[in-house]
Every structure is written in structure tokens, then in C-alpha cells.
Amino acid sequence: MDVHRYCQERAAASGSSFYYSFVFLPPEVRRAITAFYALCRELDDVVDECHERRLAELKLAWWREEIGRFAAGAATHPATRALADTARGRNIQPALLLEIVDGMAMDLEHGRYADFRALKLYCHRAAGVVGEIAAGIFEGARGAHDREIRRYAHELGLAFQLTNIIRDVGEDARRGRIYLPLDEMARFGVAEADVLSGRDTPAFQALMQFQYERAVAHYERALATLPLPARRAQRPGLVMAAIYRSLLDEIRRDGFPVLRARIALTPLRKLWLASRTWLFP
């Protein structure tokens, strides 16, 4: 099996916005980030596609063992083999990969989050750590601005995850999950039954506007944190920020129809945003 082709096909088939941030990268960096993205998709699918909790737990346990094999230079899965086949992939700390697995495990343990503090831990594991690893792949080596880049990556990862939560409220509810903090739902007068049954009310609209403003604040904080000399190397993340921020604004302009529809940008618009951001980061 050509492991890099496997990862390329996995990334392309997902239709994710992340794919558009890779297209302009040099081949070696593109192979590393595509392999990492394919690995993240594999982990995501464990939770999304396994309807029996015990089976999902066994699969995540296998992935923890596979990350150990990756660290020892003996990976067996196409995604981890492809990652190990690139210099930047081999530099990833296995402990960070295990944190992502821990984030996936939280989906098995929690269908609700009491407050934003609890949700933020999930976002850190599911997206902040992903952002840190991706930023490291793009940068290639630690430098003078490493601490600021890591802060930028975590803020941006959190912004992406909050955007996903807003976009997927209805889809998650149909799976029995609510990622909106319960204390904030109570503050705005939105009951769990409203979300689960798809009731779009003025109270729900106010709650979503609050979630929107929080996500925007994290985008702004991320971009303000990124040092100017690092912007060129971090262009893939900036491409993603342009695409995801545009998606977030589109959802708001449409009146947060997230209980009944999943809003997405067209491939052409994503490509336009990617090209513009790549040329003028």
C-alpha cells in the first residue's frame, strides 16, 4: 500500500476545509500535514461511526498502542506509517497525539458539558493540541517565537472547535449530544428539549449570538498573538482561519439555522479564500 496516497485520498474524501489549506504547501510539508490530518480523521471516525461504546473504547485503546508503536518506529496503520515517513511527522511528540485520543474518549464519556470551563478542556484536547501539532509541522523547527506560535495555535484551534460546535448544533443533537454549556443555556432560557427537538426560538438565537461572539474573540486573539515573522510559515493556519471565520459569519448572516441545516461554503469560495490568504497573509 502507498501510505501517502491512502492519506491523500482520506483527506480529499472528507471534503473538509482543512484540505484547502494544504494545496500550496511544498511536497514534504504537505505529506506530513496530510498524514496528520488523515490520522485525526481516523480518530474522529472511531467516535462518530461506532454505535457501541465498548467497541469504540477498544478501538481507542488500539490507537493508544499504535501511537506507542509510532514512537518506537514500528507503526502499522497507513496514517501513522505515513507520518513516520516524513521528517516533520517524526518530530511530533507522542504525548500530544495521546491527548487527541483523550479528547475523542471524552465524546464517549460526556454528552453534555456543565459550563465553558469543562467544554474548554474538551476543545483543548480535540482542537488546541491539533493546532499546536499542525503549527509545528508548518514551522519545521522551534525558533525565537515558539511560545507565541503555540499560544496562537491553541487559540485558533479553540476558535475552530467553537465554530464546529455552532455549525453542528442540530447534527450533534440528533446524535443525542449537546456541546453548548448547560449553564449558558439556562441563562438564556434554552432547555435541552428545545435543542434536541430542533425548536428555534428568540432565546436560542440570543444564545447562538453569544456563542458567535465568543468564537470571534478567539479568532481575534489568535491572530493578534501570531508574531509577524511567523505569518509566512503559518499561512495554512491563516487560510483555515479565513475559511472558518467566513463560515461563522455566513451562519450568523443566515440567522443561525443550525438546528435544521448544516451550513457550508462552496468549494469555489474556499479555494478563493485560500488563494487570497496565501498570497496576502
Side-chain angles (χ1 to χ4, degrees):
M1 176 186 293
D2 183 332
V3 294
H4 291 292
R5 173 179 249 178
Y6 173 90
C7 293
Q8 175 71 23
E9 291 176 354
R10 191 81 168 84
S14 72
S16 168
S17 298
F18 285 92
Y19 185 69
Y20 292 85
S21 68
F22 306 161
V23 294
F24 304 111
L25 286 168
E28 177 65 15
V29 183
R30 188 168 64 246
R31 279 193 293 269
I33 193 64
T34 301
F36 175 58
Y37 177 72
L39 173 59
C40 291
R41 293 304 314 158
E42 297 286 347
L43 294 174
D44 237 8
D45 287 351
V46 170
V47 175
D48 289 343
E49 296 182 359
C50 287
H51 302 296
E52 295 182 18
R53 174 170 175 163
R54 181 57 182 155
L55 178 59
E57 288 172 341
L58 289 171
K59 287 191 173 186
L60 289 180
W62 184 91
W63 275 108
R64 288 190 175 94
E65 294 174 355
E66 175 66 3
I67 291 168
R69 289 189 288 270
F70 165 79
T76 61
H77 191 277
T80 40
R81 285 169 57 200
L83 205 56
D85 191 50
T86 66
R88 298 192 183 194
R90 287 192 296 273
N91 286 335
I92 297 172
Q93 298 175 38
L96 294 178
L97 296 176
L98 289 172
E99 274 205 83
I100 298 173
V101 178
D102 290 341
M104 300 302 106
M106 288 180 74
D107 271 331
L108 302 180
E109 299 161 5
H110 305 283
R112 307 285 187 277
Y113 289 88
D115 51 33
F116 184 65
R117 181 179 178 182
L119 180 65
K120 195 172 181 180
L121 173 60
Y122 169 74
C123 292
H124 162 76
R125 289 174 171 172
V129 175
V130 171
E132 180 179 343
I133 292 173
I137 291 174
F138 301 143
E139 198 69 23
R142 295 197 171 201
H145 302 287
D146 182 62
R147 181 176 296 180
E148 291 94 335
I149 291 170
R150 287 172 61 194
R151 282 179 52 209
Y152 146 80
H154 277 273
E155 286 288 343
L156 195 58
L158 180 55
F160 290 162
Q161 191 65 21
L162 292 174
T163 302
N164 284 339
I165 287 170
I166 292 169
R167 179 194 64 193
D168 296 340
V169 169
E171 187 174 304
D172 289 330
R174 287 185 284 278
R175 291 174 172 162
R177 299 178 191 161
I178 298 176
Y179 289 96
L180 303 171
L182 295 181
D183 64 336
E184 294 173 4
M185 290 174 58
R187 189 192 319 159
F188 282 89
V190 177
E192 286 188 41
D194 293 334
V195 176
L196 294 173
S197 63
R199 285 189 67 231
D200 192 346
T201 64
F204 177 78
Q205 289 289 313
L207 172 64
M208 297 313 294
Q209 177 65 26
F210 179 78
Q211 304 301 318
Y212 166 85
E213 290 171 3
R214 171 188 284 147
V216 167
H218 282 286
Y219 280 112
E220 292 176 349
R221 199 172 301 143
L223 296 178
T225 302
L226 181 63
L228 190 60
R231 290 182 73 88
R232 186 172 182 82
Q234 296 300 326
R235 280 183 298 182
L238 296 175
V239 167
M240 278 305 308
I243 292 173
Y244 259 59
R245 178 65 193 273
S246 295
L247 171 64
L248 185 64
D249 288 339
E250 185 95 358
I251 291 170
R252 181 177 182 244
R253 276 194 299 271
D254 287 353
F256 301 109
V258 291
L259 287 171
R260 61 182 182 274
R262 190 177 192 269
I263 305 300
L265 302 182
T266 65
L268 186 60
R269 188 171 175 194
K270 290 178 184 177
L271 189 57
W272 179 79
L273 288 165
S275 302
R276 186 186 68 176
T277 307
W278 193 269
L279 291 172
F280 307 105

